[in-house]
Structure formats: C-alpha cells, structure tokens
Amino acid sequence: MDWPNFFKINTVKNISFIGFANITGTAITAIFWLYLADVLGSEIYGEISYLMGIGAIATAVSLIGSEQAITVYSAKKINIQPPIYLISLITSFTSAIILYIAFENIGLSFFVLGYVIYLLTLGETVGRKLYKNYSIYYLIQKILFVIFALFFYFIIGPEGILLGYGLSMLFLTKKVYNTFKHSKMDFSILKTKSHFMINNYILDISKVSTGKIDKLLIGSLFGFSLLGNYFLALQVISLLGIIPGIITRYTLPQDASGVSTKKLKFITAGFSVILALIGIFISPLVLPILFPNYSEAVEFLPILSIFLIPSTISALYISKFIGMEKTSYVIYGYLISFAITTIGIIFLGPIWGTMGLAISVVIASSFQAIFFVCLDFYKSKNNS
C-alpha cells in the first residue's frame, strides 16, 4: 500500500466499516461471555468452551475449501461459490448428525450447521469487498447470539447457549439460497483450482486444530474448571486483539488483489505491543474485582497477553501468503504451533501449572511468527 493511499476516503471508509463491526460485535460477545462466566461458574463455562472447540473442528472438516479460499476467489471474481456451498452444506449436515449421536447435544449440531453457513457467506462478502454488508451481517449475528443464547439458556439450560449460537448464524441461509439461485453450478472450477482448494482445506483444519487444541487438552487433562479460567482470560485477550483483527480482515482481499499493505501491517504489529502491555499490567488489576471466583484466570493473563504480539505478526503474514495462494507456507506454520502447544501443555502443565500452560501457548505462537518472518525473508531474498 502506498502511504498516501492509506488516507484515501475509500480505504478509510472500508476499514471503518470493518472496524466498527468488529469492535462493536466483539465487545458485545466478549461482555456476554464475561456475564456467562459469572452466571455459569468455571466448571460449566469450561465445558461449553470444550464443546465449542469440538464444534469448531467439525466445522473446519465440513467446510470444503475454507473461508479464505472463498475470500480469495471472490476477490479474483472467480465464481467458485455454488459448488463449495453445496458440498459444504452436505458435509455439515453429516457432521451435525454424527455429533448428535456422539454427544446427544442438539445445540452442538446447530452450532456446526450455522457456523459453516456463517463463514462461507462472510468469506464471500469480504472477498467481494462489500465491507458495509459484512459489518451489517457481523453485527446482526452477534446481537442475535446474545438474544437467542439467553432465551434458550433460561428454557433448557447450558445446552441452550450453543443452540442459540447456532441459530444466530442461520439468518444468512437466505444469502446462500440467492447464490444458488443467481449463479451457475460449475464443478469444473473445483478441478482447475483443486491444488489451492486442497491446501486451503488442510490449512483450515490445521488452523482450527491449532486454535482449539489448547482448550481440548486443558479440559481433558486438567478439568473443565481450569479450562473455564483459561477461557475467561482468552475473552480479555480477544477484547485487546480487536484492532489487529480488523486489519487482518481488511488485508486479505487486498493482498489477494495484489494491493500492497506493508506499511499498514507494520503499524498494526507495533500497536500489538502496546495492547500486550495493557494486558500485562492493567487487566490483572481489574479482573479480580469483576470475577473474584476466577483467581487462576488472573494468573493466565500476564503471560497470555504476550501472545498478542506473535499472533498479530503471524496473522499479517498469513494474510500475505494466502493472498499469494502460498497456503503450504501457512500450513507448516500451524503444524509448528500445534506441535509445540501440544508438547508444552502435556509436559509443562503438570510441572508449572497455569504458568506452564500459558507459556506453552506463547512459545508456540512465537515460533510460528518467527518461522513466517524467516520464510518471507528467505523467499524475498531468493526472488530479488
């Protein structure tokens, strides 16, 4: 991105649309999750986090081609959406049935169905650079989530939270229907883009597995109560990471279109350091006042706040690599993070407790970021 272009009206307006939606939407859901932490208690709170981790992995398995592939090809004006939508809907229904048989939790099944539709339609919307539409869809879903989750929670209990989450995303079904109605179903496109699609499918599964393995391991090895504390700390981190998330959401279609975003990414990486310092020094002072029963969450926060820096750097490089259709680079990075997170939680957790768990996540994210930086430097040097 040329520096003067950053201040062009359209650029600022588009980032503003994404920014307003992400800030408002993330604030709504984070505050709601903080409210639920107080209402549910750490045990049930952790169990819901555990089930959401399973649901997210099932969604990645069901989502053929991934949200990123939809974004990239929509940005390139390649009409690949109809066949991906159809296949992903079939696989998501299959996953929903399997999960219901395994867990007898209807909320988990609806979570997977809704999440697949939500990711597909938002991916296409961002790829087409319809940032205003994206912000509207994003905010509607967050508001509906709070309304539906509370409604079903008071009717059927904790299971209703996942049911409400899933139902809140189904309003985008109409957009999927319109895609089928107005676009030609051409499966031959999948064949011509099969290499990138397969890489993105593997990428999506590795990404979600890396993002959820910490919760699954902590819940399985250390109990749902500790996982509830960990999940609460992550909600604070998600609030601090809103702005970097806005920028990475904006840069992917720009990178896919060949527009340079280097300087914007540099500023974002620098800002993540400030956010990490806020998390280290300020958040642990406030959290005990609001959540006195979550003492272990306070222990997680200072170390997990450091996670903001490498995770932001990684996200910016991931945007660049996916935009270049170099998904294999990103897969390697996720595999590194997955392996280090798994080993760290299994071995450091029992030795150092909460500190060991948090350190494992930070080390994994740091090695991933270092890998991306070194890889980009090596490739740039060889291509120059």
Side-chain angles (χ1 to χ4, degrees):
M1 176 185 295
D2 294 332
W3 189 244
N5 289 341
F6 174 69
F7 296 99
K8 283 186 176 181
I9 293 176
N10 284 340
T11 301
V12 174
K13 183 175 69 173
N14 289 333
I15 293 179
S16 297
F17 280 136
I18 298 174
F20 176 77
N22 277 46
I23 291 173
T24 307
T26 303
I28 290 171
T29 52
I31 291 171
F32 180 61
W33 279 116
L34 294 176
Y35 163 77
L36 288 176
D38 188 49
V39 171
L40 298 175
S42 60
E43 187 81 19
I44 298 177
Y45 193 60
E47 184 178 359
I48 290 176
S49 169
Y50 183 83
L51 290 173
M52 284 174 59
I54 293 173
I57 293 174
T59 299
V61 173
S62 305
L63 193 62
I64 305 300
S66 89
E67 177 191 6
Q68 288 89 348
I70 289 286
T71 300
V72 169
Y73 286 127
S74 295
K76 294 175 185 263
K77 303 186 185 304
I78 298 174
N79 189 36
I80 204 170
Q81 296 88 350
I84 289 182
Y85 279 16
L86 180 60
I87 297 173
S88 295
L89 287 175
I90 293 172
T91 53
S92 64
F93 271 105
T94 304
S95 296
I97 293 171
I98 294 172
L99 287 175
Y100 183 74
I101 294 172
F103 295 94
E104 296 184 355
N105 188 315
I106 192 66
L108 183 58
S109 297
F110 271 96
F111 175 83
V112 173
L113 291 172
Y115 208 5
V116 166
I117 292 172
Y118 179 74
L119 291 178
L120 286 172
T121 51
L122 281 196
E124 179 183 354
T125 303
V126 172
R128 295 186 184 280
K129 302 178 185 177
L130 301 173
Y131 299 113
K132 183 178 181 179
N133 289 5
Y134 162 81
S135 65
I136 293 172
Y137 299 153
Y138 188 87
L139 284 175
I140 289 175
Q141 187 275 320
K142 301 308 177 188
I143 294 170
L144 289 178
F145 165 52
V146 173
I147 295 172
F148 289 164
L150 282 176
F151 177 77
F152 287 106
Y153 168 70
F154 287 118
I155 292 178
I156 62 175
E159 183 179 343
I161 295 172
L162 283 178
L163 177 60
Y165 204 154
L167 292 176
S168 72
M169 295 180 278
L170 290 179
F171 76 96
L172 288 169
T173 304
K174 183 179 180 181
K175 184 169 175 57
V176 175
Y177 170 76
N178 288 336
T179 297
F180 286 137
K181 184 177 180 180
H182 300 294
S183 301
K184 180 182 177 181
M185 185 73 66
D186 185 3
F187 285 95
S188 65
I189 298 178
L190 296 180
K191 184 177 181 180
T192 60
K193 303 296 179 182
S194 60
H195 180 72
F196 183 64
M197 296 291 295
I198 292 171
N199 277 347
N200 265 274
Y201 184 61
I202 297 172
L203 167 63
D204 216 32
I205 294 176
S206 60
K207 173 186 175 182
V208 174
S209 299
T210 300
K212 302 301 179 183
I213 189 62
D214 53 346
K215 301 173 188 63
L216 297 182
L217 287 175
I218 291 173
S220 300
L221 299 177
F222 303 96
F224 291 141
S225 181
L226 183 61
L227 176 58
N229 280 268
Y230 178 76
F231 189 56
L232 177 61
L234 289 182
Q235 298 312 306
V236 178
I237 300 300
S238 70
L239 279 172
L240 292 172
I242 289 175
I243 293 179
I246 293 168
I247 302 302
T248 53
R249 174 71 71 171
Y250 172 79
T251 57
L252 178 55
Q254 302 300 323
D255 289 335
S257 301
V259 179
S260 174
T261 56
K262 185 176 181 180
K263 291 181 179 178
L264 179 58
K265 290 177 179 178
F266 182 78
I267 293 174
T268 305
F271 187 65
S272 69
V273 177
I274 299 174
L275 295 171
L277 292 174
I278 293 173
I280 292 170
F281 294 108
I282 298 179
S283 296
L285 300 177
V286 178
L287 200 64
I289 299 173
L290 299 176
F291 301 95
N293 296 325
Y294 285 79
S295 58
E296 289 168 312
V298 181
E299 298 176 24
F300 278 121
L301 257 180
I303 299 175
L304 283 180
S305 296
I306 302 172
F307 167 81
L308 282 167
I309 302 172
S311 66
T312 298
I313 294 172
S314 291
L316 295 171
Y317 275 101
I318 288 170
S319 172
K320 178 178 180 179
F321 292 145
I322 293 178
M324 297 166 55
E325 300 189 23
K326 300 294 183 181
T327 51
S328 58
Y329 299 170
V330 184
I331 293 172
Y332 297 146
Y334 280 129
L335 291 176
I336 290 171
S337 180
F338 181 88
I340 295 175
T341 300
T342 302
I343 294 171
I345 288 176
I346 292 174
F347 290 99
L348 295 184
I351 298 173
W352 292 341
T354 55
M355 182 178 294
L357 297 174
I359 288 175
S360 301
V361 174
V362 173
I363 291 176
S365 180
S366 298
F367 269 88
Q368 183 188 61
I370 292 170
F371 170 76
F372 287 144
V373 171
C374 293
L375 180 63
D376 184 61
F377 177 77
Y378 173 76
K379 293 296 180 181
S380 299
K381 185 177 180 180
N382 283 354
N383 293 332
S384 61

